[in-house]
Amino acid sequence: MSDTKNLSFVVLLGSLRKGSFHAAVAKALPGLAPAGVTIEQLGSVGDFPHYDADLQAEGFPAPVTAMAEAIRKASGVIIVTPEYNYSIPGSLKNALDWLSRLPEQPFAGKPVSIMTGSPGPIAGARAQYHLRQILVFLDALAFNKPEVMIGQMNGKLDVAAGAITDEATRKFVATHLEAFARFVRKYG
Ligand SMILES: Cc1cc2nc3c(=O)[nH]c(=O)nc-3n(C[C@H](O)[C@H](O)[C@H](O)COP(=O)(O)O)c2cc1C
């Protein structure tokens, strides 16, 4: 596939917190994207009700179908999420559970990259590998390396501005986006 094909990525955020560090990373991504790549935010996973098969039988909720459609249209998905208790936040898992039940399951064959962080030093590594396990069942095309794990992230961001202030982190995230774009152009 062409090296110059325009790509559109969407960002799935795993935090609901107003002052979220991961929301700041997510907002910074469009400004760090390589040429030919646009990046937009998906709706909030907080808009999804708790998964319930009885609710599903009444019809998929509108926020679920809207997010699924945006994912289907996108060239790739970037999941930016904190780690909760060594795994992914329940609200993100709930959203993935809803999306996984749709006909034309939107993650099937979809390129997906993962970015985690933490105010601590382990940087969400454990959540990242739980998420990879979930992506196997969703049959997503998970991007492997370079991995983005941002340790001590609270000192590397301007949350109000939605910016990454630490230069090394900016460079690393930009390198990841460039490599993900190459991966999508080759395999997506
Ligand atoms: C329920 C809960 C569990 C957490 N578990 C972890 C954890 O396992 N590993 C970790 O590094 N941080 C953990 N944290 C701290 C989060 O990394 C921290 O709250 C971070 O700011 C969340 O991301 P956000 O700022 O984008 O909301 C946990 C926080 C909460 C609220």
Side-chain angles (χ1 to χ4, degrees), residues 5 13 18 33 41 49 60 83-84 107 114 124 150-151 177 180 188:
K5 184 180 176 239
L13 177 64
K18 236 185 277 146
Q41 314 295 319
F60 283 90
E83 174 174 282
Y84 277 5
F107 281 100
I114 303 169
I150 309 173
L177 292 174
F180 184 47

Side-chain angles (χ1 to χ4, degrees), residues 13-17 19-23 81-87 117-124 126 153:
L13 177 64
S15 176
L16 305 181
R17 202 166 73 83
S20 162
F21 300 135
H22 293 82
T81 185
E83 174 174 282
Y84 277 5
N85 297 312
Y86 288 12
S87 187
S118 174
I122 312 296
R126 294 155 296 215
M153 71 189 312

Side-chain angles (χ1 to χ4, degrees), residues 70-152:
I71 290 171
R72 286 189 199 104
K73 282 189 190 144
S75 326
V77 181
I78 303 168
I79 302 179
V80 183
T81 185
E83 174 174 282
Y84 277 5
N85 297 312
Y86 288 12
S87 187
I88 66 169
S91 52
L92 175 60
K93 179 63 162 57
N94 181 59
L96 294 173
D97 289 344
W98 269 113
L99 292 163
S100 75
R101 304 314 290 171
L102 282 161
E104 282 184 79
Q105 195 267 98
F107 281 100
K110 185 66 61 179
V112 177
S113 103
I114 303 169
M115 298 186 184
T116 59
S118 174
I122 312 296
R126 294 155 296 215
Q128 194 148 146
Y129 288 103
H130 271 192
L131 184 50
R132 285 186 182 278
Q133 181 175 324
I134 293 163
L135 292 177
V136 172
F137 187 71
L138 297 184
D139 205 18
L141 195 56
F143 173 64
N144 290 329
K145 292 203 294 185
E147 296 170 309
V148 169
M149 297 175 185
I150 309 173
Q152 275 103 29

